[in-house]
C-alpha cells in the first residue's frame, strides 16, 4: 500500500470516537478538504521518518507550514483536527473528498 493511500492519521479518526454531528467547523468544508489534503501529504512524508523527538519536531514544523499555506492560524488547524476526531461521519466524508482530490492531482501529471 502506498503512503498517500491510507495514513495512520485518518485511521485514528475512526477508532474510539463519538459522533458530535452539530459541532460547527471554523472553516468551510471546501477549505477543510484542501487543508486535509495538505495534512495528508505531510503525514505521508512524516511516515518515512524514524520515530523520536526529532520526528515530533519536524511534524510540528510541517503542521505549521500547512497552516501557513492554507492561510490559517495553527489553532484553527488543530481545532479542525479535533472536530474530525470527534465526528467520524464527517471525517469519512472529508477523507473521501481528499482521496478524490488526490486522484485528480495524480491524473494531472
Amino acid at each position: 500500500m502506498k503512503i498517500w493511500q491510507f495514513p495512520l492519521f485518518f485511521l485514528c479518526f475512526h477508532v474510539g470516537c463519538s459522533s458530535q454531528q452539530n459541532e460547527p467547523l471554523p472553516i468551510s468544508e471546501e477549505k477543510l478538504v484542501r487543508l486535509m489534503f495538505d495534512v495528508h501529504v505531510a503525514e505521508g512524508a512524516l511516515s518515512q521518518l524514524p520515530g523520536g523527538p526529532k520526528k515530533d519536531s519536524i511534524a510540528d514544523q510541517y503542521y505549521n507550514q500547512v497552516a501557513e499555506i492554507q492561510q490559517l492560524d495553527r489553532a484553527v488547524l488543530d481545532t479542525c483536527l479535533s472536530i474530525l476526531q470527534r465526528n467520524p461521519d464527517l471525517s469519512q466524508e472529508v477523507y473521501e473528498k481528499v482521496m478524490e482530490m488526490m486522484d485528480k492531482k495524480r491524473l494531472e501529471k
Side-chain angles (χ1 to χ4, degrees), residues 1 5 8-10 13-14 23 32 36 41 47 55 79-80 83 88 91 95-96 98 101 105:
M1 180 177 284
Q5 288 180 326
L8 180 61
F9 173 76
F10 281 104
F13 285 156
H14 299 288
E23 193 169 6
L32 178 64
M36 296 312 298
V41 171
S47 72
K55 183 176 183 176
T79 298
C80 290
I83 290 170
S91 178
Y95 179 73
E96 288 171 3
V98 168
M101 183 181 281
K105 296 277 185 189

Side-chain angles (χ1 to χ4, degrees), residues 23 25 29 32 83-84 87-95:
E23 193 169 6
L25 288 164
E29 188 172 322
L32 178 64
I83 290 170
L84 289 172
N87 190 333
D89 293 335
L90 177 60
S91 178
Q92 180 64 34
E93 181 181 325
V94 170
Y95 179 73

Side-chain angles (χ1 to χ4, degrees), residues 67-105:
E68 184 179 329
I69 288 166
Q70 292 295 328
Q71 299 178 336
L72 298 170
D73 289 333
R74 173 66 190 266
V76 172
L77 186 153
D78 292 340
T79 298
C80 290
L81 294 177
S82 294
I83 290 170
L84 289 172
Q85 285 178 325
R86 292 187 298 270
N87 190 333
D89 293 335
L90 177 60
S91 178
Q92 180 64 34
E93 181 181 325
V94 170
Y95 179 73
E96 288 171 3
K97 291 177 181 178
V98 168
M99 291 295 92
E100 288 173 15
M101 183 181 281
M102 188 73 66
D103 289 341
K104 287 178 186 175
K105 296 277 185 189

